[in-house]
Amino acid sequence: MALLVTDPLYLEHQAAGHVECPQRVLAILEHFRATGLLKILDPLPARDATLDELALVHGRDYIESVRWACERGGGWFDADTYLNEKSYAAAVRAVGGVLAAVEAVRDGKASTAFCLVRPPGHHATPSRGMGFCLFNSVAVAARFLKRRVLIVDWDVHHGNGTQDIFEHDPSVVYFSTHRWPFYPGTGREDERGAGNIVNVPIPEGTGRRDFLAKFKDGLAKAAVVKPEFVLISCGFDAYARDPIGGLGLEPEDYGTMTDVVRSLGAPIVSALEGGYSLDGLGPCAEAHVRGLMA
């Protein structure tokens, strides 16, 4: 049985009309309810990350700036990235939700977990929020684990924040498939860090079969390290009808990619990143979670 982590606080981070909205989580939960998945997933409560845990990757001045801005009602880090009065609390619990899943899977309570958290995280650098992201949940979890970790990022956007955090830290391997050229402008194939970065840029218009072949080849290169733990930055915005970044994938393709990752034989914790089609999120997440449960 796979674990499911979510929390009502994740719905409190919101800005009117923004595509990164609470309805994303609600759409997935409603689909899970309608398909019976909620009855067979094992719920795991989220917790708050501690300041020291956030500081595993983020500067304390930056953490304080997020808290301070939210305490004063919120605002905007950039044209894309908002904060309201609840955003700091939601982001702290998003990181903590992923950490709770990592602790449970590490301790043998399950072999896989899906963390239905927000705000997303993979664009957040040590000192900057951007791209809808405040704190980098998956990066904090990788540092927290203190073991050989592979991060698999199949969001349609490159996780520049995660790469920035680990490009000089060979204890963590970062593997990303992403549309190229596209926001945020990073993720070229020749960006290899300390030999621990495997970027697979995907041109717009690439067919599903070619995408999956590139994913499998890239994962094989990244997994040479024989990871002890896998973290997935799980964006669903490469879905064909996503309003922001569609790369032509269908829901079953997320099941296929999950199967490939599971074949590595390592425990897996997956955390929601992007994905903005309210009609597509549920079926894509279902295919992924059924793969985690296989």
Side-chain angles (χ1 to χ4, degrees), residues 173-256:
V173 174
Y174 176 66
F175 163 58
S176 174
T177 54
H178 47 273
R179 180 173 156 186
W180 176 268
F182 205 39
Y183 180 90
T186 55
R188 298 189 313 274
E189 193 171 359
D190 62 357
E191 296 171 10
R192 299 192 176 94
N196 62 323
I197 306 296
V198 180
N199 283 319
V200 180
I202 309 286
E204 185 178 12
T206 298
R208 294 166 60 199
R209 181 177 297 181
D210 287 345
F211 182 107
L212 293 174
K214 290 175 181 290
F215 177 84
K216 291 175 184 176
D217 289 347
L219 184 64
K221 293 176 184 176
V224 168
V225 296
K226 299 191 184 305
E228 298 173 300
F229 211 104
V230 175
L231 299 171
I232 300 178
S233 277
C234 183
F236 295 117
D237 39 6
Y239 170 63
R241 287 165 289 286
D242 188 273
I244 289 183
L247 263 181
L249 296 189
E250 295 295 338
E252 57 265 33
D253 297 323
Y254 290 99
T256 299

Side-chain angles (χ1 to χ4, degrees), residues 4-182:
L4 175 66
V5 179
T6 195
D7 192 282
L9 184 55
Y10 303 147
L11 307 179
E12 299 297 319
H13 168 71
Q14 57 184 304
H18 201 285
V19 70
E20 203 295 285
C21 59
Q23 287 74 23
R24 300 174 61 231
V25 167
L26 294 173
I28 293 173
L29 287 174
E30 179 53 36
H31 185 85
F32 283 6
R33 187 173 296 110
T35 57
L37 266 178
L38 274 186
K39 293 181 180 180
I40 56 176
L41 289 166
D42 192 6
L44 179 73
R47 66 170 177 85
D48 290 338
T50 68
L51 178 59
D52 285 345
E53 287 167 344
L54 295 175
L56 290 171
V57 301
H58 294 293
R60 292 179 186 267
D61 287 347
Y62 169 64
I63 298 167
E64 175 60 20
S65 74
V66 178
R67 188 199 64 77
W68 184 89
C70 294
E71 191 175 83
R72 284 152 184 77
W76 293 79
F77 273 140
D78 58 26
D80 298 318
T81 310
Y82 67 87
L83 308 97
N84 70 356
E85 65 278 6
K86 296 287 190 177
S87 295
Y88 177 80
V92 167
R93 194 161 298 174
V95 177
V98 177
L99 292 177
V102 161
E103 289 170 321
V105 171
R106 179 200 62 192
D107 295 344
K109 296 177 182 176
S111 60
T112 62
F114 179 53
C115 303
L116 190 47
V117 300
R118 57 179 295 277
H122 74 152
H123 293 307
T125 74
S127 60
R128 179 186 178 194
M130 59 180 288
F132 311 166
C133 302
L134 301 181
F135 300 135
N136 198 319
S137 301
V138 166
V140 173
R143 279 267 166 83
F144 176 84
L145 274 164
K146 297 180 181 178
R147 57 183 68 185
R148 202 161 55 247
V149 174
L150 168 63
I151 297 174
V152 176
D153 187 338
W154 62 47
D155 192 276
V156 81
H157 304 96
H158 179 249
N160 61 294
T162 309
Q163 177 171 300
D164 186 38
I165 290 162
F166 293 113
E167 61 185 348
H168 302 301
D169 179 0
S171 69
V172 175
V173 174
Y174 176 66
F175 163 58
S176 174
T177 54
H178 47 273
R179 180 173 156 186
W180 176 268
F182 205 39

